[in-house]
Amino acid sequence: MNLEEMGKFKDISLLILISLAEEDKHGYAIMEDLKNNFSIELGAGTLYGAISRLEKNNLIKPVITEDRKIPYTITEEGKRLLSFQLEHINKIISTGKSRLRLT
C-alpha cells in the first residue's frame, strides 16, 4: 500500500496521518489541526472521503467511544507508511537544497 493508491486524496491523506501521529482526533479536530498547522481548510466531504480511504486501507481506525464524535487513531501500518513517506520527502528536500546550494 502506498499513498499513490489514494488518488486525489494522497496529499490530504498524508496530512491526516501526520495529524493522527500526535494523538487520536475526531474529524473536526483533524480539520482544525490542518488549518492551524498547514493553513489548509478542508470541507467535510473531502476530509471524510480521505478518512474513508485511509480506514479502508487499514492506515487508520475508529476508536470505540460512547461519544457522538468518532475519534480516529493511526494504525501500525499507517505509522510505517507515514515514516516511509516522510523519509522520501526528506530525501527530495535534501536533494533540492543541495542543488540550490542551500546546505
Side-chain angles (χ1 to χ4, degrees):
M1 170 71 208
N2 64 47
L3 288 181
E4 295 302 318
E5 294 173 23
M6 295 290 177
K8 68 179 182 175
F9 293 100
K10 70 180 179 185
D11 296 333
I12 295 164
S13 296
L14 181 63
L15 295 175
I16 292 169
L17 291 175
I18 291 169
S19 180
L20 293 175
E22 179 181 39
E23 64 183 355
D24 298 348
K25 294 181 180 84
H26 55 77
Y28 182 76
I30 294 170
M31 285 195 304
E32 286 297 301
D33 187 36
L34 299 184
K35 180 180 174 183
N36 294 334
N37 289 293
F38 303 108
S39 300
I40 294 174
E41 294 190 44
L42 297 179
T46 302
L47 174 72
Y48 286 103
I51 284 175
S52 175
R53 285 166 180 75
L54 287 165
E55 189 177 353
K56 187 172 157 182
N57 287 287
N58 195 37
L59 300 174
I60 67 171
K61 64 181 180 180
V63 175
I64 304 301
T65 180
E66 294 192 17
D67 192 359
R68 178 173 83 76
K69 298 177 184 175
I70 300 171
Y72 294 89
T73 191
I74 189 170
T75 64
E76 288 303 314
E77 187 174 341
K79 289 177 186 177
R80 282 191 297 275
L81 178 66
L82 177 58
S83 179
F84 173 81
Q85 291 292 323
L86 293 175
E87 286 176 24
H88 181 70
I89 290 167
N90 278 332
K91 183 174 181 182
I92 292 169
I93 290 169
S94 177
T95 301
K97 284 183 171 183
S98 174
R99 291 181 181 180
L100 286 171
R101 294 173 177 75
L102 298 175
T103 58

